[in-house]
Amino acid sequence: MVAYKRHVDTANISELTISRLSIYLRCVDQLLEAGVETVSSQQLAKRFNLNSAQIRKDLAYFGEFGVRGVGYNVRQLRQYVVEILGLDRERRLVIVGAGNLGSALCHYSGFSGGNFLVVGVLDSDPSRIGDATPAGLLVEDAARLPEIVAQRQAEIGVITTPAAAAQTVCDRMVDAGLRAILNFAPIRLRAPESVLVKSVDLKVHLEELSFFLAHAEG
Amino acid sequence: MVAYKRHVDTANISELTISRLSIYLRCVDQLLEAGVETVSSQQLAKRFNLNSAQIRKDLAYFGEFGVRGVGYNVRQLRQYVVEILGLDRERRLVIVGAGNLGSALCHYSGFSGGNFLVVGVLDSDPSRIGDATPAGLLVEDAARLPEIVAQRQAEIGVITTPAAAAQTVCDRMVDAGLRAILNFAPIRLRAPESVLVKSVDLKVHLEELSFFLAHAEG
DNA sequence: GTTTGTGAAGGCTTTCACAGCC
DNA sequence: GGCTGTGAAAGCCTTCACAAAC
């Protein structure tokens, strides 16, 4: 077994591989909780409905983590995936849009827990500024985005505004120095190539389910 | 122009095509708001950062909606996409898990608006049962899932419980007759093939952004 | 002239299958 | 015996490019 390759050309690695690493992390956490110490790609695949060759290939991009004839050490594997995903240090988030979704996310365990920390919830609506979110943060003025990003060293912006405001908020986040943006507004955003924007349109998933219901025989 | 083909073999159509149809619907809605009456695939592509051949191909699976030399009638196109996605009738949702995310989603406009309607928010925690959600629904006992699904004719189940409870809730949703499930718990669910389960792990997206931040040069 | 709908080409991802190693 | 890491094959998806239609 060799250590995690730090100098892989990450530009050539598919986003699909990255999102699967994230999934593997959940699986490995479950195994750790269950006290499993060693796991083969086949066991992982069977247990979590994955493909064993794909697991091996995804991991092999970043180093040789396994032992032939044995499998992977679960604890070690977790640590490697954590390092690959950059989860070995805290990542701070700023949420813009203190509506239902925004205030729910700021104390959603996936968002404020583990390596992620919500350090600000902003809105441009004066009637919302000063409100307490369920997590105890106060809603602040969206105009203060640049200073909040700088002072609190936020790296990730989360957009939970209505569609009409999203592009403006995105532009301001880019100007404020945020390099990674998670967008929940149902609109396609434009941003410089140096900034990564991921959009999650929750309605798309519902509409996929609707398509399935409309066309499934039965 | 020919009408929407009702008898396409939907089993052969990629999920990617379906999720793009959903995106096209957002784009077409923006065009309608802007008063645009006709649009070509190239105009759509340029405006929303898409590929024109892909738009044409995605649409062509379901019929011949365009006029050569002209393009697509925006209003008509919207109607076709709505029919394809099965959005021409109401789809009722039941949410299980009245935590932060669950109660936020039940009055999130994407979830209770348009063709989707949340008809129940359930939890198994007695201390939550009876609580009012922001949308005015009362949290009901998760044990009543089967009767609520049947009486209110719910079709889609939404899981917003902690990971540990998600598989049990999923099994009960299947038993209650739900054929489409949207899962927000960070766990891989197992369900019969006749049921469509879509999982949305919000943390996966954050971790993808983290990977980008960790490896982007800068 | 313009644009659609589509076969063919190209590119990307997954899966297979096995050499190499334990 | 077992399992990983990986080239090769298969499958899938996107893009090109053009005939057919307006």
Side-chain angles (χ1 to χ4, degrees), chain B residues 129-166:
Chain B
I129 296 170
D131 283 5
T133 68
L137 283 168
L138 293 183
V139 176
E140 296 170 279
D141 188 343
R144 292 184 53 219
L145 181 68
E147 63 173 283
I148 289 173
V149 167
Q151 279 170 11
R152 302 179 198 164
Q153 295 178 59
E155 291 180 289
I156 297 175
V158 179
I159 300 177
T160 48
T161 63

Side-chain angles (χ1 to χ4, degrees), chain B residues 63-80:
Chain B
E64 305 199 356
F65 303 150
V67 180
R68 290 165 197 232
V70 179
Y72 302 90
N73 174 292
V74 178
R75 191 167 301 278
Q76 221 162 31
L77 184 57
R78 179 180 203 286
Q79 184 53 31
Y80 284 132

Side-chain angles (χ1 to χ4, degrees), chain A residues 4 6 10 13 15 18-19 22-23 25-27 30 45-50 62 83-87 91 93 100-101 104-105 107-111 113-116 134 155-158 179-182 184 186-190 193-216, chain B residues 4 6 10 13 15 18-19 22-23 25-27 30 45-50 62 83-87 91 93 100-101 104-105 107-111 113-114 116 134 155-158 179-182 184 186-190 193-215 217-218:
Chain A
Y4 155 49
R6 270 155 215 289
T10 55
I13 291 172
E15 287 195 21
I18 305 308
S19 61
S22 204
I23 303 286
L25 187 52
R26 300 294 173 281
C27 299
Q30 274 189 255
K46 200 168 177 191
R47 179 144 177 180
F48 297 105
N49 252 329
L50 304 161
F62 299 95
E83 284 179 38
I84 293 167
L85 293 175
L87 302 175
R91 303 276 172 194
L93 321 183
N100 305 321
L101 192 58
L105 289 181
H107 72 140
Y108 173 57
S109 65
F111 268 47
N115 316 274
F116 297 102
E155 293 179 288
I156 298 175
V158 179
R179 285 313 181 74
I181 295 175
L182 187 55
F184 286 92
I187 193 174
R188 290 181 61 81
L189 295 178
R190 286 173 184 276
E193 279 204 19
S194 60
V195 176
L196 181 60
V197 178
K198 294 239 89 178
S199 281
V200 184
D201 188 333
L202 296 177
K203 208 167 184 177
V204 168
H205 302 293
L206 284 185
E207 291 179 352
E208 284 179 72
L209 293 175
S210 171
F211 174 84
F212 171 80
L213 287 170
H215 295 86
Chain B
Y4 156 50
R6 271 156 213 288
T10 55
I13 290 171
E15 287 194 20
I18 305 309
S19 60
S22 203
I23 303 289
L25 187 54
R26 302 293 174 281
C27 299
Q30 273 189 254
K46 201 169 176 191
R47 180 147 178 179
F48 298 104
N49 252 328
L50 303 162
F62 299 96
E83 284 179 38
I84 293 166
L85 292 176
L87 301 174
R91 303 275 172 194
L93 320 183
N100 305 320
L101 191 60
L105 289 181
H107 72 140
Y108 172 59
S109 66
F111 267 49
F116 296 101
E155 291 180 289
I156 297 175
V158 179
R179 289 275 161 276
I181 294 174
L182 186 55
F184 286 91
I187 193 175
R188 291 182 59 81
L189 295 178
R190 287 174 181 274
E193 279 204 21
S194 60
V195 177
L196 181 59
V197 178
K198 293 240 90 180
S199 280
V200 183
D201 188 333
L202 297 177
K203 209 167 182 177
V204 168
H205 301 294
L206 285 185
E207 291 180 351
E208 284 179 72
L209 294 175
S210 171
F211 174 83
F212 171 80
L213 288 170
H215 295 87
E217 62 262 56

Side-chain angles (χ1 to χ4, degrees), chain A residues 15-189:
Chain A
E15 287 195 21
L16 293 165
T17 291
I18 305 308
S19 61
R20 280 192 300 263
L21 286 176
S22 204
I23 303 286
Y24 301 157
L25 187 52
R26 300 294 173 281
C27 299
V28 165
D29 279 337
Q30 274 189 255
L31 293 178
L32 272 177
E33 248 181 82
V36 178
E37 293 194 357
T38 304
V39 73
S40 72
S41 59
Q42 234 180 99
Q43 290 171 310
L44 261 175
K46 200 168 177 191
R47 179 144 177 180
F48 297 105
N49 252 329
L50 304 161
N51 178 290
S52 65
Q54 187 153 73
I55 295 172
R56 293 198 298 277
K57 199 148 245 194
D58 285 337
L59 294 176
Y61 287 125
F62 299 95
E64 306 198 355
F65 303 152
V67 180
R68 292 167 197 230
V70 179
Y72 302 89
N73 175 291
V74 178
R75 192 168 300 276
Q76 220 161 32
L77 184 57
R78 179 178 202 286
Q79 184 52 29
Y80 284 131
V81 176
V82 161
E83 284 179 38
I84 293 167
L85 293 175
L87 302 175
D88 45 355
R89 69 182 199 69
E90 193 173 80
R91 303 276 172 194
R92 299 178 178 198
L93 321 183
V94 168
I95 297 175
V96 176
N100 305 321
L101 192 58
S103 23
L105 289 181
C106 75
H107 72 140
Y108 173 57
S109 65
F111 268 47
S112 255
N115 316 274
F116 297 102
L117 180 66
V118 177
V119 296
V121 185
L122 283 57
D123 205 299
S124 60
D125 181 345
S127 73
R128 277 186 187 153
I129 296 169
D131 283 6
T133 67
L137 284 167
L138 293 183
V139 176
E140 296 169 278
D141 189 343
R144 294 183 54 218
L145 181 67
E147 62 173 282
I148 288 173
V149 167
Q151 280 170 9
R152 301 179 198 165
Q153 296 179 60
E155 293 179 288
I156 298 175
V158 179
I159 301 177
T160 48
T161 64
Q167 184 62 60
T168 304
V169 169
C170 176
D171 294 344
R172 293 194 180 148
M173 283 181 169
V174 172
D175 290 344
L178 294 173
R179 285 313 181 74
I181 295 175
L182 187 55
N183 169 46
F184 286 92
I187 193 174
R188 290 181 61 81
L189 295 178

